[in-house]
Amino acid sequence: MAAGLLRRALDLVELLAGHARGLPLQTIADTLAVPKSGAHRLLAELVSYDYVTQDPESGRYLLTTKFATLGLKHLANSGVVDVSQSVLNRLAEASGELVRLAVVDYPRLVWVAKAQGARSGLRYDADMGTEASLSTSSTGIVWLASLSDEEAVELVLRQGFRPPGTAGPNAPRTIPALLDLVSAARGRGYAWVHETHAAGTAAMAANIIHPASGRAIGNVSIAGPSARLTEAERDRLAPDLLAAAETLSAVGPLSDYLAALSGRRTRDAARPA
């Protein structure tokens, strides 16, 4: 497959991944800025391999579960979930909140595993496999804290600040406000956010550090309703959070896999634009 065609096919897959109910052919063609006939050919090719299907009633095209299955199979074979799940379960039990593992897939940060500690009342949850918001999530802020201010700002501007109305009332809207959160995370040793990602929520996160390179290769977080995850509760849970991150940092197979994944930063920086 020619490089240009492959790029368009991947763009199409990424577009459909953001629309679970599918999209009409014309919308796909317009969004990707390709002729309708070209978009149809790409879709037909993906349909023939069962990666895309067309809803017979609406005519919309949507991804099948084949991509999700491949992703889950890859994670299973990497050992990430098997190695980390017991650590996540213990932290969820101690906190009574949602605990998640995020991995650096440079320049993205993606949630790949979780454990839910809340058994009743309000439960805070989110879909796995989604890209973390770097400017509003504790997961994003603590990773940025491991980088220089210049690189942190570059990554946030690449992803974009969350538009008004799509994040919490305390979400940073400017670079100085963002760097205040990053600086606080560096000083504390972990990130803490309150109603930045979503109204009524709070979260804290600590980095998983590769023992050889010293680079943050992922992180573990605790998130829940702000009425429960107060500053006092944050202080109580901080030692458990940091211990979980230290344990995951020390697991060789996990650290080596995540280091290889996040190590694309060096290769990407060296690649011509």
Side-chain angles (χ1 to χ4, degrees):
M1 182 182 291
L5 183 59
L6 176 59
R7 178 67 264 175
R8 286 195 293 273
L10 293 174
D11 288 342
L12 172 55
V13 169
E14 290 181 358
L15 174 64
L16 292 179
H19 297 82
R21 298 177 62 186
L23 290 172
L25 173 59
Q26 188 64 61
T27 301
I28 293 170
D30 292 343
T31 304
L32 298 179
V34 298
K36 189 174 179 180
S37 59
H40 186 267
R41 283 194 298 272
L42 283 174
L43 288 163
E45 190 77 6
L46 290 168
V47 167
S48 71
Y49 288 102
D50 295 325
Y51 285 104
V52 169
T53 189
Q54 185 178 22
D55 186 330
E57 294 185 6
S58 68
R60 289 169 170 252
Y61 290 90
L62 60 154
L63 294 182
T64 67
T65 59
K66 196 167 183 180
F67 279 109
T69 301
L70 286 174
L72 292 172
K73 183 178 180 180
H74 172 64
L75 283 176
N77 289 335
S78 73
V80 168
V81 176
D82 289 342
V83 170
S84 63
Q85 195 63 57
S86 62
V87 178
L88 302 183
N89 290 344
R90 288 196 299 272
L91 188 56
E93 179 72 22
S95 66
E97 302 294 356
L98 174 68
V99 171
R100 288 182 287 185
L101 171 70
V103 301
V104 175
D105 187 7
Y106 200 91
R108 306 160 64 242
L109 193 61
V110 182
W111 285 300
V112 298
K114 68 178 178 180
Q116 178 60 263
R119 291 174 175 76
S120 62
L122 292 172
R123 291 165 62 100
Y124 178 71
D125 211 336
D127 294 331
M128 292 299 93
T130 57
E131 184 174 347
S133 168
L134 299 182
S135 63
T136 62
S137 67
S138 64
T139 293
I141 295 298
V142 79
W143 180 42
L144 297 178
S146 73
L147 309 173
S148 68
D149 283 354
E150 292 76 16
E151 187 173 7
V153 169
E154 178 187 349
L155 289 175
V156 169
L157 292 179
R158 180 187 303 190
Q159 186 185 65
F161 281 101
R162 296 273 295 278
T166 66
N170 296 331
R173 307 293 181 194
T174 65
I175 290 174
L178 170 74
L179 292 179
D180 283 346
L181 289 174
V182 171
S183 177
R186 288 194 188 114
R188 194 183 289 116
Y190 63 91
W192 160 257
V193 296
H194 180 270
E195 295 197 333
T196 58
H197 196 60
T201 66
M204 55 197 298
N207 281 323
I208 299 167
I209 305 297
H210 189 266
S213 69
R215 188 172 70 242
I217 52 178
N219 53 61
V220 60
S221 63
I222 302 171
S226 53
R228 278 202 310 257
L229 197 51
T230 61
E231 291 189 15
E233 185 68 354
R234 173 201 69 190
D235 294 343
R236 182 184 76 84
L237 292 173
D240 291 331
L241 174 70
L242 293 170
E246 184 176 357
T247 297
L248 291 171
S249 299
V251 178
L254 175 68
S255 291
D256 289 342
Y257 170 75
L258 297 187
L261 194 64
S262 64
R264 291 193 304 166
R265 171 172 59 175
T266 304
R267 298 192 295 275
D268 288 348
R271 184 180 299 134

